[in-house]
């Protein structure tokens, strides 16, 4: 199965969460896709650099990414993947770490477009784009060699050896490429809120219409519904161990 864990969430996971993750990995195999936004921002601020978030001509917000920022992402990711590998290895699971760009597992599209800078639309080379393809054969080869595969979701793109991608959507692509029936998003909130309360189950159409969902939760719902359209059985979103989320004892289940 596939689980996506945010960077700041991963750093704060307690020992029982890792006990469960290692058990899942040993029992059925696990691909853990990590994010990096909050740790990356903290590292950049500590280095005296202000992270730059831009809005495109189409109104989409994106972290401006150039070669320097890609280097920051890889340094931050190295610490996160090492943490995950250390925690699961200590619990008896065999683990490998892979940079999906370096291994050419993910391919993304970098769209030529303009970005708002100081009140003007300017053409900038922003090395960020959506995943468009997965090398399922290479990915499966990596996965079969170990109990748990920890993935840094960078991608290659035409003319670019590495580009930034959205980790939620990358996890969804990875899940469907592997034919995984289930995808878990581990977050810092208990689930999807509807009218102020956690909704235990959502159908894809309801997820599209969840007006209260915004920001990171909206991206997770969009990624989940897209994956359901590509063959995923269900996605679960919440703040709990993987086993608890899959058993329906926590979080929000999203189904077709």
């Amino acid at each position: 199965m596939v689980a996506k864990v945010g960077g700041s969430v991963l750093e704060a996971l307690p020992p029982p969460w890792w006990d469960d993750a290692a058990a899942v990995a040993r029992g059925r195999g696990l691909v853990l896709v990590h994010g990096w936004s909050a740790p990356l921002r903290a590292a950049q601020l500590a280095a005296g650099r202000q992270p730059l978030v831009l809005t495109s001509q189409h109104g989409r917000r994106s972290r401006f990414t150039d070669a320097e920022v890609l280097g920051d992402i890889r340094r931050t990711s190295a610490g996160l993947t090492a943490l995950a590998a250390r925690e699961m290895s200590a619990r008896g699971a065999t683990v490998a770490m892979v940079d999906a760009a370096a291994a050419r597992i993910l391919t993304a599209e970098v769209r030529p477009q303009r970005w708002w800078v100081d009140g003007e639309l300017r053409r900038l080379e922003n090395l960020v784009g959506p995943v468009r393809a997965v090398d399922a054969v290479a990915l499966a080869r990596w996965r079969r060699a170990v109990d748990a595969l920890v993935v840094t979701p960078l991608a290659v793109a035409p003319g670019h050896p590495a580009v930034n991608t959205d980790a939620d959507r990358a996890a969804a692509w990875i899940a469907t490429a592997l034919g995984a029936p289930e995808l878990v998003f581990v977050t810092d909130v208990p689930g999807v809120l509807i009218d102020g309360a956690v909704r235990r189950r959502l159908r894809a159409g309801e997820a599209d219409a969840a007006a209260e969902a915004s920001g990171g939760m909206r991206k997770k719902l969009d990624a989940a519904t897209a994956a359901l359209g590509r063959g995923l059985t269900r996605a679960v979103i919440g703040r709990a161990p993987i086993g608890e989320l899959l058993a329906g004892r926590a979080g929000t289940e999203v189904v077709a």
Side-chain angles (χ1 to χ4, degrees):
M1 66 153 299
V2 178
K4 187 270 176 176
V5 185
S8 59
V9 175
L10 191 151
E11 290 181 313
L13 290 170
W17 192 95
W18 291 110
D19 294 341
D20 175 85
V24 170
R26 293 194 307 271
R28 58 183 292 188
L30 173 66
V31 176
L32 192 153
V33 181
H34 72 84
W36 52 66
S37 291
L40 174 63
R41 176 180 173 81
Q44 290 177 319
L45 290 174
R49 302 205 319 276
Q50 183 66 41
L52 182 58
V53 177
L54 300 178
T55 301
S56 76
Q57 65 194 66
H58 305 295
R60 295 193 179 98
R61 288 170 59 80
S62 169
R63 179 189 302 276
F64 176 69
T65 304
D66 57 10
E68 183 176 37
V69 173
L70 284 170
D72 293 336
I73 290 172
R74 281 187 156 132
R75 283 187 290 274
T76 300
S77 296
L80 296 171
T81 56
L83 169 61
R86 183 169 64 249
E87 294 289 353
M88 286 189 285
S89 295
R91 291 161 171 83
T94 57
V95 186
M97 301 171 286
V98 60
D99 177 323
R104 303 187 68 83
I105 288 171
L106 297 178
T107 299
E109 175 189 8
V110 177
R111 301 166 180 162
Q113 57 186 316
R114 294 180 297 169
W115 302 84
W116 287 101
V117 179
D118 297 330
E120 296 181 353
L121 276 173
R122 300 181 185 174
R123 292 200 177 277
L124 299 175
E125 186 176 64
N126 189 11
L127 300 179
V128 61
V131 173
R132 292 302 187 209
V134 182
D135 185 339
V137 173
L139 179 60
R141 188 183 306 119
W142 277 90
R143 225 306 293 147
R144 284 195 300 269
V146 291
D147 297 321
L149 180 63
V150 184
V151 179
T152 296
L154 293 172
V156 295
H160 303 291
V163 298
N164 190 356
T165 66
D166 175 70
D168 292 324
R169 294 184 176 94
W173 273 94
I174 286 170
T176 54
L178 285 174
E182 296 161 317
L183 169 63
V184 167
F185 295 96
V186 181
T187 73
D188 57 358
V189 295
V192 180
L193 297 178
I194 304 292
D195 297 326
V198 174
R199 178 72 67 86
R200 288 300 180 198
R201 197 167 195 260
L202 285 173
R203 294 196 180 277
E206 296 175 300
D208 290 338
E212 293 177 62
S214 60
M217 185 59 73
R218 169 49 57 194
K219 289 195 299 179
K220 289 172 178 58
L221 287 173
D222 290 346
T225 52
L228 290 168
R230 296 194 301 268
L232 190 78
T233 300
R234 65 173 179 149
V236 190
I237 305 170
R239 181 182 59 208
I242 294 171
E244 293 289 301
L245 293 168
L246 291 176
R249 292 189 288 268
T252 299
E253 181 185 49
V254 185
V255 297

